[in-house]
Amino acid sequence: MVFTPGKTYVIDRQLVPLAGQTWIGYGATLKRADRVATLLTGGFTGSTLPVTPGEGTNFRVGSFVVLWDTPDETDHSSNTRSVVSTTADSVTLSGTFTGITAASGDQLETGTTMIFNDVADWKILGLTLDGNGTSYSSGVHIWEIHKDIFISGDRTTVRDCVFDDSQLEGMIVGGDGTVVDSNRFLSCGGNPMHLSGSNGLTISNNYIFDSQVYNADRNNHQDGAISISTAVVDTTVSNNYYDGNSNGLTFLGGISQDTVNMVITGNHAKDTTVAAVEAESNFGTVTSGHVVTGNTFENCVSFIFNDTGGNK
């Protein structure tokens, strides 16, 4: 599938690749639509929510939405729903939310993952993804939901892409044998790359500038340029460049929870606020077998390899 060079495609819902498909986007941009939000005036009737009078039709049919408790700013839906129909004073959704009970004063707003890939052998080449984080800077930030690309399919390739102004995570990177190579990540709201539940990843030759730009405390997953979550095995992180801009937390953070056998080589990171690399064996889990060689860390505060749980 070839995106037209020079064209910007504005989306407010998930795009889902097909197995074995290649997306070619050199010169084209995929942009998250501007934020649309309204306050509820009550709870669900069936799958319909009453909203601030006159604001229901601001939502486009088919767009994805989330719900959050504005007075508390910590309670939010753990899923998204799509808009089925609207009136001036109501929005009907594809179902109710989990994780929160809708009530008067809660805020309904647009938000979703831009590309959701759970199939094998998908490739995306040269596409610019504009997360439009500036439009969403005052909204809810949920790392599980607000990301540009989600990957769980095996043997995915992301190459020569630009991630600009991501609302939160640039990518959740999973699947076995995924390659993330020669991309540019510019001013991500959260973690540019978030690795989770994967084997044999290659993260190489990427340029990363700044991170955690829009992170709110309620995000609860602030790690760095490359965030390591659970069970990342036999992964190589090589020849990447990260300028934390005295704002990003770490170059490589959150290494724990059964993450083993990482090779970290040839990278250059500078101006982080917490550490160049942060690895801790904690919560009864093990992190081990890592090789760190030939890297340059400049003005990165510290380098943390710490056993807090009696493991090795």
Side-chain angles (χ1 to χ4, degrees), residues 2 30 44 48 59 67 72 108 113 148 158 161 172 178 193 228 234 238 243 248 258 267-268:
V2 179
L30 194 66
F44 273 107
T48 298
F59 291 85
L67 185 69
D72 185 69
L108 184 73
T113 298
D148 294 348
V158 182
C161 293
I172 301 287
T178 293
M193 285 174 276
I228 312 298
D234 296 336
S238 65
D243 181 350
D258 299 324
N267 303 285
H268 187 153

Side-chain angles (χ1 to χ4, degrees), residues 161-181:
C161 293
V162 178
F163 295 78
D164 188 15
D165 196 20
S166 300
Q167 183 181 353
L168 206 58
E169 312 293 71
M171 304 172 61
I172 301 287
V173 185
D176 295 344
T178 293
V179 174
V180 181
D181 178 73

Side-chain angles (χ1 to χ4, degrees), residues 7 53-54 85 107 111 122 149 159 175 193 233 259 268 305:
K7 186 170 183 177
S85 64
Q107 184 151 287
W122 173 58
I149 298 180
R159 179 172 284 125
M193 285 174 276
V233 178
T259 290
H268 187 153
F305 263 70

Side-chain angles (χ1 to χ4, degrees), residues 112-190:
T112 187
T113 298
M114 295 172 69
I115 302 173
F116 185 94
N117 175 54
D118 61 355
V119 297
D121 301 309
W122 173 58
K123 295 180 176 63
I124 178 170
L125 310 174
L127 187 63
T128 293
L129 293 101
D130 182 348
N132 199 11
T134 304
S135 177
Y136 289 82
S137 59
S138 61
V140 65
H141 299 81
I142 309 168
W143 70 264
E144 301 95 330
I145 293 175
H146 296 126
K147 46 199 176 285
D148 294 348
I149 298 180
F150 171 85
I151 297 168
S152 63
D154 295 341
R155 299 179 301 280
T156 296
T157 298
V158 182
R159 179 172 284 125
D160 297 338
C161 293
V162 178
F163 295 78
D164 188 15
D165 196 20
S166 300
Q167 183 181 353
L168 206 58
E169 312 293 71
M171 304 172 61
I172 301 287
V173 185
D176 295 344
T178 293
V179 174
V180 181
D181 178 73
S182 300
N183 304 284
R184 293 169 61 85
F185 296 84
L186 308 175
S187 300
C188 283

Side-chain angles (χ1 to χ4, degrees), residues 30-272:
L30 194 66
K31 182 177 182 178
R32 180 180 275 113
D34 286 347
R35 176 175 176 259
V36 178
T38 187
L39 296 179
L40 303 189
T41 58
F44 273 107
T45 300
S47 58
T48 298
L49 288 170
V51 301
T52 302
E55 294 185 354
T57 52
N58 292 339
F59 291 85
R60 294 181 58 189
V61 171
S63 62
F64 279 50
V65 293
V66 297
L67 185 69
W68 58 297
D69 180 357
T70 50
D72 185 69
E73 296 193 4
T74 55
D75 293 330
H76 56 75
S77 60
S78 56
N79 62 339
T80 58
R81 292 298 186 186
S82 60
V83 175
V84 174
S85 64
T86 65
T87 68
D89 304 338
S90 69
V91 177
T92 299
L93 305 178
S94 57
T96 58
F97 293 105
T98 58
I100 187 172
T101 300
S104 180
D106 290 351
Q107 184 151 287
L108 184 73
E109 68 173 68
T110 50
T112 187
T113 298
M114 295 172 69
I115 302 173
F116 185 94
N117 175 54
D118 61 355
V119 297
D121 301 309
W122 173 58
K123 295 180 176 63
I124 178 170
L125 310 174
L127 187 63
T128 293
L129 293 101
D130 182 348
N132 199 11
T134 304
S135 177
Y136 289 82
S137 59
S138 61
V140 65
H141 299 81
I142 309 168
W143 70 264
E144 301 95 330
I145 293 175
H146 296 126
K147 46 199 176 285
D148 294 348
I149 298 180
F150 171 85
I151 297 168
S152 63
D154 295 341
R155 299 179 301 280
T156 296
T157 298
V158 182
R159 179 172 284 125
D160 297 338
C161 293
V162 178
F163 295 78
D164 188 15
D165 196 20
S166 300
Q167 183 181 353
L168 206 58
E169 312 293 71
M171 304 172 61
I172 301 287
V173 185
D176 295 344
T178 293
V179 174
V180 181
D181 178 73
S182 300
N183 304 284
R184 293 169 61 85
F185 296 84
L186 308 175
S187 300
C188 283
N191 306 305
M193 285 174 276
H194 179 154
L195 316 186
S196 181
S198 49
N199 290 270
L201 301 180
T202 299
I203 311 297
S204 58
N205 303 307
N206 299 287
Y207 173 85
I208 311 158
F209 176 79
D210 214 347
S211 57
Q212 287 81 47
V213 176
Y214 302 116
N215 246 346
D217 290 339
R218 59 182 177 269
N219 170 40
N220 197 32
H221 207 304
Q222 305 178 51
D223 286 316
I226 303 173
S227 169
I228 312 298
S229 191
T230 58
V232 176
V233 178
D234 296 336
T235 286
T236 298
V237 178
S238 65
N239 301 316
N240 301 283
Y241 181 89
Y242 176 48
D243 181 350
N245 197 33
S246 299
N247 186 55
L249 303 181
T250 66
F251 164 62
L252 193 61
I255 302 175
S256 64
Q257 300 189 53
D258 299 324
T259 290
V260 297
N261 301 338
M262 292 190 70
V263 176
I264 305 164
T265 184
N267 303 285
H268 187 153
K270 70 173 190 174
D271 296 338
T272 64

